[in-house]
Amino acid sequence: MLRKELNIFTFKDLLEHFPFRHIDKTKIDKIGGLTTASEYAYVCGKLISFDIVGQNRARRLVAKIKDETGILELVWFQGINWVQKILQPGQQYLVFGKLGFFMGVPQIAHPEIENNTTQNISAKNTLEPIYPSTEKLKARGINGSTFGKFTKELLQRIHEKDLPENLPANIIEKFRLLSRYKAFELVHFPASEAQYQQALRRLKFEELFFAQLRMQLTKLQRHRFSRGLLFDKVGNLFNTFYESYLPFALTNAQKTVLKEIRKDTGSGRQMNRLLQGDVGSGKTMVALLSMLIAADNGFQSVLMAPTEILAQQHFSSITEYLDGLPVCVKMLTGSTAAKQRKIILKECAEGEINILIGTHAVIEDHVIFKNLGFAVVDEQHKFGVAQRAQLWKKNLLPPHVLVMTATPIPRTLALTAYGDLDYSIMDELPPGRKPVTTLHRNESARPQVMDFIKEQLALGRQAYIIYPLIEESSKLDYENLMKGYEEVKSFFPEPKYWISMVHGKQPSEQKEINMQRFVKGNTNIMVSTTVIEVGVNVPNASVMVIESSEKFGLSQLHQLRGRVGRGSDKSYCILLTGKKLSNDARERIKIMVATNDGFAIAEKDLEIRGPGEIEGTRQSGALNFKLANIVNDKAMLEVAKETVAQLLEEDPEINLPKNANVKSYLHEQKAKTKWSKIS
Ligand code: ADP
Ligand code: MG
């Protein structure tokens, strides 16, 4: 039963079934001192009387308990017959329960009650733990406090040696941590809140410490042992492109990252790098330049995008950039025609293709490369761990991997979820970008908003109108989109205006045609769902209106907004919402209006939503802490990271006698879980 319901298999699991709160029974309350502010009451007194009152559903047993300061009422609605038999007027009782007031009289419904036969009334000496349980367990009589009994018994039977220390003595001393055994005891049965906090602090630290240790060890081992393909030169393709084709100067951030990649790929070990850059910071160009270095060294590259639209977009911009250079670029997606696919597969296997761009179709098993050397995963959160693993198998030595995020992820998350990847940041936008002005408007202001779009179109610009389509399959969302489209058409009649519409239900050819009409400037307005969210680049678009924007998450809003402000014109993002907004939604809109900084937005997003909800990290497992919480325990995470770094610096193999605890605990854990090599 415990197994099935709560995954409790071993005594360790039971100890790690932590209480979510404690109830203070360490002191006995005086009835006269109880106020509406007291949540629980623990009282000792004499039963003076009891009565059964009321009829039918209101039938209840009311008892009165008296101490020297006042009278407390106890009420039972159920089990009346049984209670009636055990209650004895004149007897002393210890009574505990949630306190309420009825007509000014303190009252406890369904109290815990126990005879107090001994003369010396004594309170418990520890706080009483309350545990999470499930409905099924409750039905079997195992409730939140039953666990306390199991755990107490267990703790009495085990000893220090059953829960050996796993942190080195110097670290325990430095941070004044409780011993492991003591911490487990006190997290369940503390004598005070302060003790509980001490126990919690120790156990959280341990959790974060070992998570960091595994992460940093993986990274270290990769750096030392994983042989990689050697790109030992920068050749003609790169140099010619850089000198004669590159249409702008690189930003300093782009140059820095490129140097980091150059260093990795020239080191003889495999690169696994996460590139964090804000929307519009120019990650694609970094990827392209890296792929040219690969080609200079005789290696093929792939660039994987999460959607067909984005793959297409990368394909057209990259072929355009490279026009005139002897680089063979091809595109492969799920909708590539069979005949074409066959040709591409052949060219790929023979090494004729230098750069293959596509969706995850490019890493399917039947796609064989002659010599894959470099892989770019764009907008990483849509790719799972398994897909990245597939990539590694595409060559005898695994290709170098550059993972690019769509929007920044918060630093604390990056530390915990991707700590084993190397890490680059581009926190600089290309020069000349004007920050997008973001406004919040009520839906009732839609006509004025449409008029504003007209003004912008009159200046020759283009506009996006975005509808939420959270679930591609949701009928309601789809109907809203269609209704919206009709409405937009009535505001912007043909032939004065032309409208494109793109959504997930269209065949990809149709999507592509509509998209291209907008990209080429043949249509003025793009009505779309979030399928255009990632990466789409139309510099002439200067307004974006987001309908029902309260339905979107922060990073999604930021990503959408990144579609405007790509040219040199002043750009606007207008967030339409209904009148009634939840607090969270109001907060999100406020942040969007206040800042364009994706890194700041990412931190806020984490604060509002909590770690479990951030896209792309849900499945990572690295965030499944039992006690620690990376938002609230941010400072401790940093300390754990530093501590681990120092330990590994001094003792990279964890062989020093003083770290023996750590080593044996790691081995014990490793035997239990298999820790995957990629994040
Ligand atoms: P993201 O980082 O969001 O993927 P992109 O790579 O799509 O951004 O780049 C956004 C736009 O900025 C593109 O039009 C690209 O050509 C342009 N761009 C990239 N680097 C620079 C630069 N150094 N100077 C000017 N424009 C640049
Ligand atoms: Mg991009």
Side-chain angles (χ1 to χ4, degrees), residues 247-251 254 277-285 314 321 378-379 404-406 426 430-431 433 535 537 539 559 563 566:
F248 37 68
L250 294 184
T251 64
Q254 284 171 318
D278 206 345
V279 177
S281 57
K283 295 183 285 284
T284 319
M285 187 47 77
H314 279 317
Y321 281 133
D378 194 12
E379 322 294 0
M404 308 199 293
T405 60
M426 296 211 301
R433 294 279 167 81
N537 191 25
Q559 179 67 30
R563 303 307 109 216
R566 300 195 147 231

Side-chain angles (χ1 to χ4, degrees), residues 291-465:
M291 294 193 290
L292 288 178
I293 296 177
D296 273 336
N297 287 276
F299 291 100
Q300 296 169 288
S301 301
V302 285
L303 193 168
M304 285 193 286
T307 63
E308 295 232 11
I309 289 189
L310 193 56
Q312 176 64 49
Q313 173 116 8
H314 279 317
F315 179 71
S316 23
S317 64
I318 285 177
T319 40
E320 203 168 305
Y321 281 133
L322 296 178
D323 187 27
L325 280 174
V327 183
C328 175
V329 185
K330 288 282 165 77
M331 181 165 84
L332 180 68
T333 71
S335 61
T336 305
K339 206 170 126 198
Q340 181 65 9
R341 166 183 306 264
K342 221 172 140 189
I343 299 172
I344 289 174
L345 290 181
K346 183 162 172 282
E347 289 174 340
C348 200
E350 286 170 357
E352 235 168 273
I353 293 176
N354 301 107
I355 297 177
L356 184 65
I357 296 175
T359 55
H360 53 264
V362 298
I363 54 163
E364 275 164 19
D365 283 339
H366 61 268
V367 184
I368 293 162
F369 292 86
K370 180 159 185 238
N371 201 2
L372 182 64
F374 199 87
V376 183
V377 181
D378 194 12
E379 322 294 0
Q380 97 93 22
H381 61 249
K382 307 248 160 94
F383 278 98
V385 171
Q387 283 152 321
R388 252 184 290 157
Q390 234 169 333
L391 245 182
W392 284 34
K393 295 184 304 196
K394 290 282 176 195
N395 204 339
L396 290 175
L397 283 177
H400 300 292
V401 179
L402 180 67
V403 166
M404 308 199 293
T405 60
T407 52
I409 46 179
R411 189 182 140 68
T412 35
L413 261 189
L415 261 181
T416 33
Y418 305 105
D420 61 331
L421 300 183
D422 293 301
Y423 187 65
S424 296
I425 277 197
M426 296 211 301
D427 51 3
E428 181 189 2
L429 294 182
R433 294 279 167 81
K434 301 206 177 86
V436 178
T437 301
T438 303
L439 306 163
H440 174 207
R441 291 287 179 268
N442 199 289
E443 273 162 6
S444 57
R446 191 178 285 115
Q448 289 90 312
V449 171
M450 295 298 150
D451 283 344
F452 178 71
I453 294 184
K454 277 185 188 159
E455 284 171 28
Q456 289 287 307
L457 299 187
L459 296 171
R461 317 270 183 268
Q462 291 162 282
Y464 292 100
I465 304 179

